[in-house]
Amino acid sequence: MESAILLLDDNTDQATKQMLQHVVERKRKYEALKKKHIMTMWATIISSGSLFAYLYAAIIIPYSYSFFTMFSVFVDQFTHMLFLLMTVGLYGYMGIMKKKVDKAELEYHTMRKEIIHKSKELWKPEMKWKDRHKVFEMMKKNYDINLYHESK
């Protein structure tokens, strides 16, 4: 468990600390997947740009007089097909990563909203209710998790 969550005072019970820990873990998972998706997206952009630049310089300009000749030259070398398959594969992987990012974001925001909805139950006695803002401030400051409002 995170040290900042463990150091919360007695106004926060163990179940609440566990919920806060889970929301931190889900946010980290979401941010890691988001970073991986962006890296995959840039790799796809660079790969496709390089492929088109190479095809333009090595095939289209010299053999522009005939589409059949351009196609024959492209298919004639295995490396052209390999580079094309790599680019298409990166594009497919980028789509898979986007779905994973969307799922992780939904899980994170669902957990965060659940804590917001249950805050009246989690900090029930009057003294605990008055001190819950300390927990919310700590989560915002340390982990950039907003527990004050449901909207992102």
Side-chain angles (χ1 to χ4, degrees):
M1 192 173 287
E2 297 291 320
S3 61
I5 294 174
L6 282 174
L7 294 175
L8 289 173
D9 56 5
D10 293 335
N11 290 334
T12 307
D13 64 345
Q14 193 61 33
T16 306
K17 289 179 182 178
Q18 199 64 32
M19 288 178 74
L20 295 172
Q21 177 65 31
H22 284 302
V23 79
V24 168
E25 290 169 1
R26 288 187 180 171
K27 177 160 184 175
R28 286 190 179 145
K29 178 183 175 185
Y30 162 65
E31 288 176 343
L33 285 172
K34 187 176 177 181
K35 185 176 181 181
K36 197 172 183 181
H37 174 258
I38 290 172
M39 289 174 50
T40 306
M41 186 171 52
W42 278 109
T44 304
I45 290 169
I46 290 169
S47 176
S48 61
S50 300
L51 175 66
F52 290 129
Y54 171 75
L55 290 177
Y56 184 75
I59 296 176
I60 294 175
I61 292 177
Y63 303 104
S64 62
Y65 56 87
S66 170
F67 178 76
F68 180 73
T69 307
M70 285 190 296
F71 184 73
S72 297
V73 170
F74 178 76
V75 176
D76 208 20
Q77 289 191 10
F78 179 70
T79 54
H80 294 156
M81 294 300 285
L82 192 62
F83 197 37
L84 178 65
L85 286 174
M86 182 188 76
T87 303
V88 170
L90 273 172
Y91 181 76
Y93 185 63
M94 183 183 67
I96 291 169
M97 288 306 301
K98 179 63 178 160
K99 287 180 182 177
K100 286 184 177 183
V101 166
D102 291 343
K103 182 181 176 192
E105 182 181 21
L106 181 67
E107 288 175 354
Y108 161 63
H109 285 297
T110 302
M111 184 70 175
R112 190 180 64 80
K113 288 176 184 177
E114 183 179 342
I115 291 173
I116 292 169
H117 283 292
K118 289 185 175 182
S119 65
K120 291 179 182 176
E121 297 169 17
L122 297 173
W123 289 277
K124 218 171 188 128
E126 188 65 30
M127 288 302 291
K128 288 183 180 181
W129 180 256
K130 289 181 180 177
D131 289 338
R132 75 186 167 97
H133 72 281
K134 294 176 185 174
V135 175
F136 289 7
E137 287 174 7
M138 182 276 301
M139 293 297 286
K140 180 69 175 165
K141 187 179 89 175
N142 292 356
Y143 307 108
D144 195 29
I145 297 174
N146 184 3
L147 296 175
Y148 289 108
H149 303 286
E150 281 187 42
S151 63
K152 298 178 187 179

